[in-house]
């Protein structure tokens, strides 16, 4: 406080000096520059004496001459600015945002518990009610195994009420799964897109839908013939090729955080707008393994009108189908108006492939998948070349020359094969036509039949041969597994085949209320070959023509897009409303897809790190672009690097990316892309920060991240800063807080040499007094080359501040070493030094505390026993546990997707002689438990001065073969009487209430925990916040289970064809809060949410301060971009520079307030008051509220002076433009 007063006094004297300088007309330029500094809220580097001031003025002057030339036109505004300077000096000083620490807004009182969805706006269908009602008993439904025997009510259809059938051709293209993105593209998707353009251009009746923009973009970049692009655009313009969803990928909905969900959609939509000028209207999520209402909210917010989903628990499908409620308006449970409802359609049957989309009987539907027709010569593609074979004699020559004695070939024109076969001449000596001796002849064998696959190699009858291809045993998709194959549609069978198909259509239509019927026609990577196009389109067109020609059948049928389907009943039907989500998915029996919530957690953590860097770089890059219009060329040159990083963050949101369900080689490809993306982001952040802080020689220098970039083997390591005697120079750090609120944060850096007289100075040049020096360890090994210095920094909202580190004179600043106590570390540490004591025997109980928190640990297992946070205490015990999987041959087991435990009860992880290390200091105290067997684990609980949570870090490596087919889990036992209720989040965007049911097996009671889980009773709430998405449940009252990692030796029969054994050394981070709850229930209109403190702490896990370093000093030591803090429950989600010049999207999200928060529920934001004046001055006054992906304008008559109101729980996007330079 004292310091701040002194600073203001100084600032005042500086202002007057500047005015004087102005009056003597010495330096117009100086004034301009001064104003610029003032408005940026920049503080010059050094203070306070007048000598320094004079030096500073001279220094700045010399730098200004150049700037003056560039900025002559801006000088006009100087007088206006000067006026403002006077105003500020006369007592109207800018409100300093220094005091905006969010803890000011947290009341010292209980948080509200037992909040429940509001009643006044109750939906027609509430998923929690459906769960109550369902038996989950899975009776056999006949041909529709998971349904019932459908009977068609013929009277429903008449001349005026025809059944309108919309057959929608599609191809599901995973951006990485069995093959990498690039390989899929090269081998399959490129051809599919080529074929779409060719075939749709040929036949005006054809339609197609396409979902994944990542592949469209790859196609656009590689296609050589510009005519193809023109044709593609024409098809999109005409609506015949419809882009559905249009995200970069079809994202997972369990593990994905809403920031990344929006990012991946924006990447897709921006590309579509820039290249095809199209705005998608309908969503298509047929493959994500469970569906989240957050996605519905985001689609609606992006201007979508309808959506299709597919992977919903079979029992829920059946329930909704029985009430004709598979189409509904999906509503957020906390929403009190219909505005955010979106029409949602659930596909009723097992899968999105052809056998499960035409009607209830897959045996029948499969016969109308004409890709599965037995091949005939019509579909042969081998062109006749100038030589009689599709193969070159040059190859024969080369082989012979290499000493080969024979060769086998296959792709030869069928007529030639037939001719040679008729003469038994399929084996011959292949000779060069110009050869006049037999020396170069090579024996050649031609395979006689259509293909080299099993059906065409055993003999002439592929039907027979195929029966001996045992790979095609179910569930292979290659042919119809129901022993009835498709028939080519001919004049003689068209009548019978039409009736067979129509019966299925009519039955499916019985499940929906409208007379419109959606029939997806496609599968994974379909339509890659022209013969499939011909087979599907010709046979279906024959059926359509025949059916449409019979008015007495009361059916209209055609190829169509998804949009045509939704528009057919727009405004005619009103659907029931539904609230809730569709987790946890089961496709059959007790096979619940809850394994992928945790599979490959190393990469799940990696993703969150990348995500945090994308967000922070977006914001700082925008700030640099807005504030340094004269450096725009240099910043623009970084744009391709940035786009790469955004697109690869987007790519990993794919439902086989972050889910951990891709093959190892694909996972490595994703990891490489993420690593390169981080390198790019480091470069972009560095350039942005150097521009903003006016570093010298920006081109030739780069700031580096203190936390080294994660790579495939490590998600976090610290850089080591060495100061040797020869170069006693300082290191300079920039601390970047990307969040819209201020906070005190712990910062720890690794230094060499091992001395205690380090000096750390803040941006005012003031020495940090309180520094804790720690020893550094790697598991149980002491690293003797470094010390760790930990100190607390105060970060202003959205700010940059420079710190420096060096060695002081011996007589000054000797900092306190932390005291280390070791148990079970062996003799080598005995009597090492005063502040390191080692014991062979562990006490029964170990207690640690600080001013807020008390911890009691058991010495026996090194785990927590009791936790007190302020006045709340619970017997909080933690324990590592494991699950196995089922045993026996032909028994479905756990795999990448599915969790099938061997037992409802988890087993304790048995270990003995764990090492315990306690590091006690004045700022941070750590309790570490090191387990060696059966797997290496380091478990750390920390408490930090001033904080009201405990930090938990778990580092482990499940590489041991003894840990095969096991899941590692941590269980929390508490006194909280939550019964069977617990709460998890959806995509970090909202909380949802969960209930554990005995009628559902253990694996079905596990839910995604993208960020948060809590349990509560009328006294307390225990929250666990996570730095990585995982699976969680509450298996009994008072318990919370969090799954940490899994190692599985086998495939789980969902197409991946491998287990999960590429485990990495993984570090997972958590914060644990224990809060008292108010016994008074919250007003029923309140959405469920974590306390304000938990929300703030979660943001700090997900967007931690970014530390960058260099040996150079900046010219400006601090900038803060916010003039006033944001309302305490509004989160600065993003500030993204768009692909269009000078355009930015500002994303604000209002979390909402609980009764623990003092912030006003309805506070508004005025941008001209929020941002620093210089930012405001750089912006066009007019702003526009946009849809979430900025495709549509929502409110255009806004200005930077408007009171912007973000409603509780909502995200608003504002388009800002900078003034022309
Ligand atoms: Zn897929």
């Amino acid at each position: 406080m004292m310091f701040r007063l002194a600073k203001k006094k100084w600032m005042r004297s500086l202002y007057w000096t500047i005015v004087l300088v102005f009056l003597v007309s010495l330096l117009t330029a100086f004034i301009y520059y001064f104003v610029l500094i003032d408005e940026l809220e920049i503080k010059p580097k050094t203070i306070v004496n007048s000598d320094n001031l004079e030096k500073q003025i001279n220094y700045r002057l010399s730098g200004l001459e150049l700037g003056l030339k560039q900025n002559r036109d801006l000088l006009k505004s100087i007088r206006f600015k000067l006026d403002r300077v006077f105003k500020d000096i006369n007592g109207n000083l800018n409100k300093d945002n220094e005091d905006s620490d969010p803890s000011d807004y947290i009341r010292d009182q209980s948080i509200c518990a037992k909040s429940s969805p509001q009643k006044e706006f109750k939906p027609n269908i509430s998923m929690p009610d459906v769960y109550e009602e369902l038996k989950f008993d899975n009776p056999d439904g006949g041909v529709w195994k998971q349904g019932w025997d459908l009977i068609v009510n013929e009277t429903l259809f008449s001349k005026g009420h025809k059944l309108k059938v919309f057959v929608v051709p599609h191809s599901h293209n995973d951006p990485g799964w069995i093959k990498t993105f690039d390989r899929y593209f090269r081998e399959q998707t490129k051809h599919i897109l080529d074929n779409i353009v060719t075939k749709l251009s040929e036949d005006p009746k054809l339609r197609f839908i396409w979902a994944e923009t990542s592949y469209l973009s790859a196609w656009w970049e590689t296609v050589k013939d510009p005519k193809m692009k023109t044709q593609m655009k024409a098809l999109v313009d005409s609506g015949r090729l419809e882009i559905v969803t249009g995200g970069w990928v079809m994202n997972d909905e369990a593990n994905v955080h809403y920031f990344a969900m929006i990012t991946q959609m924006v990447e897709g939509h921006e590309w579509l707008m820039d290249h095809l000028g199209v705005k998608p209207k309908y969503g298509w999520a047929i493959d994500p393994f469970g569906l989240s209402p957050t996605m519905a909210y985001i689609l609606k917010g992006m201007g979508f009108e309808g959506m299709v989903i597919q992977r919903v628990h079979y029992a829920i499908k059946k329930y909704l189908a029985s009430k004709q409620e598979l189409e509904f308006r999906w509503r957020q449970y906390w929403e009190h108006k219909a505005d955010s409802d979106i029409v949602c359609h659930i596909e009723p049957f097992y899968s999105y492939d052809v056998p499960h989309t035409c009607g209830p009987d897959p045996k029948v539907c499969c016969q109308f998948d004409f890709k599965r027709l037995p091949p005939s010569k019509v579909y042969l593609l081998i062109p006749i070349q100038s030589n009689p074979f599709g193969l070159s004699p040059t190859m024969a020559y080369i082989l012979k020359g290499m000493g080969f004695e024979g060769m086998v070939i296959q792709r030869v024109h069928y007529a030639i094969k037939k001719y040679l076969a008729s003469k038994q001449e399929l084996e011959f000596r292949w000779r060069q036509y110009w050869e006049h001796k037999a020396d170069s002849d090579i024996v050649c064998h031609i395979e006689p039949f259509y293909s080299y696959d099993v059906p065409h190699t055993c003999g002439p009858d592929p039907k027979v041969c195929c029966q001996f291809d045992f790979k095609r045993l179910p569930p292979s998709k290659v042919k119809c597994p129901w022993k009835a194959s498709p028939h080519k549609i001919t004049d003689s069978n068209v009548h019978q085949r039409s009736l067979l198909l129509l019966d299925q259509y009519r039955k499916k239509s019985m499940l929906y209320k409208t007379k419109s019927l959606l029939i997806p026609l496609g599968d994974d990577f379909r339509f890659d070959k022209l013969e499939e196009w011909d087979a599907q389109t010709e046979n279906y067109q024959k059926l359509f023509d025949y059916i449409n020609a019979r008015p007495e059948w009361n059916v209209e049928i055609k190829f169509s897009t998804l949009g045509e389907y939704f528009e057919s009943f727009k405004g005619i039907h009103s659907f029931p409303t539904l609230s809730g989500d569709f987790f946890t998915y089961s496709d059959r029996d007790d096979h619940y897809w809850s394994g992928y919530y945790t599979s490959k957690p190393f990469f799940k953590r990696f993703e969150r790190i990348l995500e945090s860097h994308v967000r922070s770089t977006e914001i700082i890059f925008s700030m640099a672009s807005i504030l340094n219009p004269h450096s725009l060329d240099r910043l623009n040159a970084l744009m391709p690097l940035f786009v790469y990083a955004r697109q690869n963050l987007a790519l990993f949101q794919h439902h086989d990316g972050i889910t951990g369900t891709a093959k190892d080689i694909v996972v490595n490809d994703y990891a490489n892309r993420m690593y390169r993306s981080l390198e790019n982001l480091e470069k972009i952040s560095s350039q942005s920060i150097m521009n903003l802080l006016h570093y010298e020689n920006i081109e030739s220098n780069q700031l580096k991240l203190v936390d080294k970039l994660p790579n495939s083997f490590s998600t976090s390591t610290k850089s080591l800063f060495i100061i040797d005697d020869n170069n006693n120079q300082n290191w300079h750090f920039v601390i970047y807080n990307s969040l819209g609120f201020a906070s005190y944060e712990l910062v720890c850096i690794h230094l060499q040499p091992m001395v205690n007289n380090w000096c750390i100075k803040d941006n005012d040049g003031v020495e940090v007094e309180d520094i804790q020096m720690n020893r550094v360890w790697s598991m149980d090994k002491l690293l003797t080359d470094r010390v760790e210095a930990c100190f607390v920094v105060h970060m202003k909202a959205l700010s940059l501040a420079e710190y420096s580190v060096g060695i002081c004179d011996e007589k000054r600043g000797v900092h306190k070493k932390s005291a280390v106590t070791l148990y079970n570390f062996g003799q080598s540490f005995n009597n090492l030094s005063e502040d390191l004591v080692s014991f062979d025997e562990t006490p029964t109980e170990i207690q640690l505390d600080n001013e807020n928190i008390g911890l009691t640990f058991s010495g026996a297992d090194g785990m927590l026993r009791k936790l007190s946070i302020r006045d709340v205490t619970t017997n909080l015990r933690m324990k590592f546990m494991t699950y196995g999987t089922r045993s026996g041959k032909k028994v479905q087991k756990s795999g990448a997707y599915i969790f099938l435990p061997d037992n409802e009860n988890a087993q304790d992880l048995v270990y003995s002689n764990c090492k315990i290390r306690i590091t006690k200091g004045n700022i941070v105290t750590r309790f570490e438990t090191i387990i060696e067997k059966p797997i290496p684990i380091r478990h750390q609980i920390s408490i930090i001065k001033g904080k009201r949570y405990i930090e938990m870090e778990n580092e482990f490596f499940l590489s041991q073969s003894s840990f095969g087919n096991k899941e590692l889990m941590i269980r929390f036992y508490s006194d909280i009487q939550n019964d069977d209720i617990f709460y998890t989040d959806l995509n970090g965007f909202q909380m949802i209430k969960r209930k554990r049911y005995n009628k559902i097996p253990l694996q079905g009671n596990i839910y995604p925990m993208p960020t948060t889980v809590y349990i509560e009773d009328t006294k307390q709430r225990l929250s666990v916040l996570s730095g990585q998405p995982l699976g969680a449940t509450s298996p009994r009252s008072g318990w919370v289970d969090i799954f940490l990692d899994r190692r599985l030796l086998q495939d789980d029969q969902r197409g991946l064809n491998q287990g999960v054994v590429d485990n990495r050394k993984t570090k997972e981070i958590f914060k644990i809060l224990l809060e008292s709850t108010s016994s008074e229930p919250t007003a029923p209109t309140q959405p469920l949410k974590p306390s304000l403190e938990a929300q703030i702490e979660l943001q700090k896990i997900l967007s931690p301060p970014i530390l960058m370093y260099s040996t150079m000093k900046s010219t400006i030591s601090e900038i803060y971009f916010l003039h006033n803090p944001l309302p305490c429950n509004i989160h600065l989600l993003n500030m993204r520079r768009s692909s269009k010049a000078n355009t930015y999207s500002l994303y604000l999200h209002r979390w909402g307030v609980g009764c623990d928060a003092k912030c006003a529920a309805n506070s508004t934001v005025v941008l001209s008051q929020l941002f620093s004046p210089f930012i405001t001055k750089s912006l066009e006054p007019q702003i526009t509220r946009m849809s979430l992906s900025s495709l549509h304008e929502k409110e255009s008559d806004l200005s930077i002076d408007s009171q912007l109101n973000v409603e509780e729980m909502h995200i608003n996007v504002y388009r800002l433009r900078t003034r022309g330079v």
Side-chain angles (χ1 to χ4, degrees), residues 1012-1050:
T1012 307
V1013 59
Y1014 65 75
I1015 56 170
E1016 66 183 13
D1017 60 17
T1018 53
K1019 295 193 189 93
Q1020 18 182 272
R1021 176 190 287 178
L1022 174 73
S1023 308
V1024 184
L1025 313 174
S1026 176
Q1028 53 287 312
L1030 297 166
T1033 188
S1034 172
R1036 265 192 219 172
S1037 187
W1039 297 9
V1040 175
D1041 284 2
I1042 298 176
F1043 288 77
L1044 303 177
D1045 199 358
R1046 46 210 313 264
R1047 183 176 175 86
L1048 300 156
L1049 305 180
Q1050 62 284 311

Side-chain angles (χ1 to χ4, degrees), residues 172-175 177 250 287-289 311 352 524 654-656:
H172 178 70
N173 282 244
D174 293 306
W177 180 40
M250 185 184 290
D287 203 22
F289 328 135
R311 287 197 186 272
Y352 53 82
D524 293 357
H654 162 50
H655 57 265
D656 295 305

Side-chain angles (χ1 to χ4, degrees), residues 406-410 426-428 430 442-448:
M407 60 190 286
V408 174
I409 59 175
Q410 203 286 126
L426 283 165
E427 287 180 328
F428 51 87
W430 201 349
I442 181 165
V443 175
C444 183
H445 166 106
I446 300 181
E447 271 298 288

Side-chain angles (χ1 to χ4, degrees), residues 167-173 188-197 199-200 206-210 354 368-371 520-538 540 559:
V167 178
V168 179
H170 70 99
S171 181
H172 178 70
N173 282 244
Q188 283 158 285
T189 310
K190 184 194 176 316
H191 307 294
I192 298 171
L193 285 161
D194 284 346
N195 293 343
I196 290 172
V197 172
K199 284 296 180 180
L200 264 66
L206 280 182
R207 300 285 185 277
F208 213 86
I209 61 170
W210 190 264
V354 182
F368 295 89
D369 183 0
F370 295 104
K371 185 185 176 170
L521 178 71
D523 202 341
D524 293 357
F525 295 94
R526 279 302 186 91
F527 294 97
D528 60 338
K529 297 210 166 55
L530 288 172
E531 54 265 44
E532 181 188 359
W533 279 87
D534 293 339
Q536 302 287 30
T537 58
E538 284 167 14
Y540 269 98
F559 287 120

